[in-house]
Amino acid sequence: MASLFGTGGYGYSSGSSDGEDEDEGTEGYRKGGYHAARPGDRFAGGRFVAQRKLGWGNFSTVWLAYDTLHSRFVALKIQKSARDYSHAALHEIELLSAVAQGDPTNSKCVLRLLDHFKHVGPNGHHVCLVTEFLGDSLLRLIRYNRNKGIGLSRVKEICRSLLVGFDYLHRELGIIHTDLKPENVLLVSTINPAKDPVRSGFAPILDRPVGSHYRGTVISFSEKMLKMRARRAVAKISQRRVSLGGFAAEFEKERNLDGISLKCKIVDFGNACWANQQLAGEIQTRQYRAPEVIIGSGYSCSADMWSFACIAFELATGDLLFAPKNCQGCSEDEDHLALMMETLGKMPRKIAISGTRSKDYFDRHGDLKRIRRLKFWPLDCVLVERYNFTEADAQGFADFLRPILDFIPENRPSAAQCLKHPWLN
Ligand SMILES: Nc1ncnc2c1ncn2[C@@H]1O[C@H](COP(=O)(O)OP(=O)(O)OP(=O)(O)O)[C@@H](O)[C@H]1O
């Protein structure tokens, strides 16, 4: 049986380095892997000076760096050095160069590439991307607000930025992002002003501190154990919170989001592609994956729009829209399709049987093979009954989301059409 709206199961593979997320570990620091940078290290003939690690992903570590040529802080993405990673970085540079070229005023809500170069280190040749320095991810914003939902007016503001970005990528450039998720959208400013080197008046490090041993990249075993214990403790607390239900929630004061600028940008073009040159059959992170990708019937820019709707829901409620699981006798894919249909109604037969993998999940009538009884719970009812939205708020938000979550990809509105939707205006 499909389970609805679980909060676990995040398939996140990257993080920021301020202690809340798991770090990248030490195994990646070897030939073909990450470059072990330290604060004060210089790059590109001395022009960029590493300050502190901002985050990491499967492909790279990202550092706050000081650009001595233009006296500004930038983000320095240092790719792993193996050939495939280098190719991926060059591909990302190609796409981000097109993004920058077409947006001279930097107003299209997409990360700006400033420069790129190669760095030779003990682990190999690393392609490096220099981009504008941005703030926290939407994932961090959701967590900062303790997964309670950030309020519809804030959701609308973020949606507008994302749609401006997608209108530009899809209509003007013909780029599909293919991996939209909360951690791939960064606020322009940091939530905590002290973490913004400009707002906090941080004096750049220009030399490696003498005698210091930076342990941000090489983590000792005992430090790892401590972190593991801390994580277990956090997991226990959140388990207890679940069992206490609404009672605990009442005692948790909401954090104040006023004063946090919600301007944001789309980042991480490591998996992006030109709409007419699709490379991968399977795209997107599980929870944000469109149905046509699961059944293998091809995809286009409208797959990004599906992920966009999933993010909007998550911002508004603090929960994943779809959190599929492997369940007895059925795959995560089939559970995912069941969850979609329980929320959005039955998938039209024509679509259900149209993919290369349709036969794995659907019979010839377009019914799921292993999950026979669906519990329908439409989106607007979920918003009222589970998240205590008013009828009017739920109706307005569901009216905006439902067309974007159409099972027929061609029926989904484009980003430009969404921008004209009354809910946003
Ligand atoms: N311009 C930026 N400004 C501030 N932080 C950034 C910036 N770019 C990336 N980061 C941080 O670094 C992390 C990793 O970046 P990114 O997702 O681009 O790396 P990746 O190796 O391609 O990751 P993935 O495995 O998710 O594809 C982000 O989640 C974010 O915390």
Side-chain angles (χ1 to χ4, degrees), residues 100-339:
Q101 234 166 43
D103 177 22
T105 54
N106 194 9
S107 59
K108 303 284 191 180
C109 304
V110 183
L111 176 69
R112 165 131 310 212
L113 179 71
L114 302 170
D115 210 336
H116 57 89
F117 58 87
K118 236 182 207 167
H119 181 79
V120 183
N123 291 339
H125 293 233
H126 304 264
V127 179
C128 297
L129 280 72
V130 182
T131 66
E132 62 186 323
F133 165 69
L134 295 171
D136 297 282
S137 70
L138 293 189
L139 178 61
R140 185 152 296 279
L141 182 74
I142 292 166
R143 286 186 184 167
Y144 175 80
N145 200 36
R146 300 196 176 99
N147 291 60
K148 286 178 192 302
I150 63 169
L152 285 182
S153 60
R154 293 190 188 91
V155 177
K156 288 181 195 187
E157 201 176 332
I158 291 174
C159 283
R160 274 188 221 106
S161 288
L162 289 177
L163 289 170
V164 167
F166 278 119
D167 180 39
Y168 176 54
L169 291 173
H170 294 166
R171 191 172 52 82
E172 292 194 43
L173 301 179
I175 290 175
I176 315 176
H177 184 280
T178 80
D179 196 17
L180 185 67
K181 53 185 171 179
E183 71 265 54
N184 283 343
V185 180
L186 299 188
L187 297 172
V188 169
S189 310
T190 53
I191 295 172
N192 178 355
K195 291 228 164 129
D196 183 322
V198 177
R199 283 191 290 167
S200 66
F202 175 73
I205 300 166
L206 293 173
D207 283 308
R208 191 177 303 157
V210 181
S212 76
H213 175 55
Y214 180 69
R215 306 192 303 158
T217 49
V218 183
I219 296 155
S220 67
F221 179 70
S222 57
E223 200 170 337
K224 257 191 148 170
M225 286 300 287
L226 282 174
K227 281 193 170 183
M228 227 158 75
R229 270 191 217 143
R231 270 199 301 276
R232 279 200 207 118
V234 169
K236 267 192 195 157
I237 291 166
S238 45
Q239 250 173 19
R240 233 184 28 225
R241 214 180 272 161
V242 169
S243 63
L244 286 171
F247 177 75
E250 259 179 57
F251 287 88
E252 265 191 8
K253 256 187 81 188
E254 245 172 75
R255 292 216 186 145
N256 190 359
L257 298 180
D258 294 344
I260 296 176
S261 166
L262 297 175
K263 270 177 72 183
C264 54
K265 293 199 165 201
I266 302 165
V267 308
D268 192 359
F269 283 70
N271 296 305
C273 64
W274 299 104
N276 56 3
Q277 294 171 16
Q278 298 174 9
L279 301 173
E282 186 157 277
I283 56 164
Q284 303 175 312
T285 297
R286 160 60 66 192
Q287 293 83 357
Y288 308 90
R289 191 170 292 155
E292 63 270 24
V293 177
I294 299 175
I295 62 174
S297 61
Y299 58 87
S300 183
C301 296
S302 48
D304 279 343
M305 297 305 292
W306 181 280
S307 310
F308 161 79
C310 295
I311 290 192
F313 178 92
E314 196 171 334
L315 287 168
T317 63
D319 275 348
L320 291 160
L321 176 54
F322 303 117
K325 296 189 186 81
N326 273 313
C327 43
Q328 270 184 342
C330 84
S331 66
E332 209 175 356
D333 278 337
E334 195 163 334
D335 190 48
H336 200 167
L337 292 166
L339 290 172

Side-chain angles (χ1 to χ4, degrees), residues 335-349:
D335 190 48
H336 200 167
L337 292 166
L339 290 172
M340 289 172 177
M341 291 197 271
E342 286 180 329
T343 315
L344 305 165
K346 248 196 98 186
M347 188 181 292
R349 178 179 172 274

Side-chain angles (χ1 to χ4, degrees), residues 73-85:
F73 289 98
V74 293
L76 177 62
K77 176 165 173 160
I78 312 171
Q79 194 83 345
K80 285 180 177 173
S81 63
R83 210 181 50 176
D84 287 352
Y85 294 112

Side-chain angles (χ1 to χ4, degrees), residues 290-292 302-303 305-306 309 340 344-348 351 400-413:
E292 63 270 24
S302 48
M305 297 305 292
W306 181 280
M340 289 172 177
L344 305 165
K346 248 196 98 186
M347 188 181 292
I351 295 292
F400 175 70
L401 290 184
R402 242 189 272 105
I404 313 173
L405 295 168
D406 197 309
F407 284 122
I408 306 174
E410 299 74 40
N411 287 357
R412 282 174 214 151

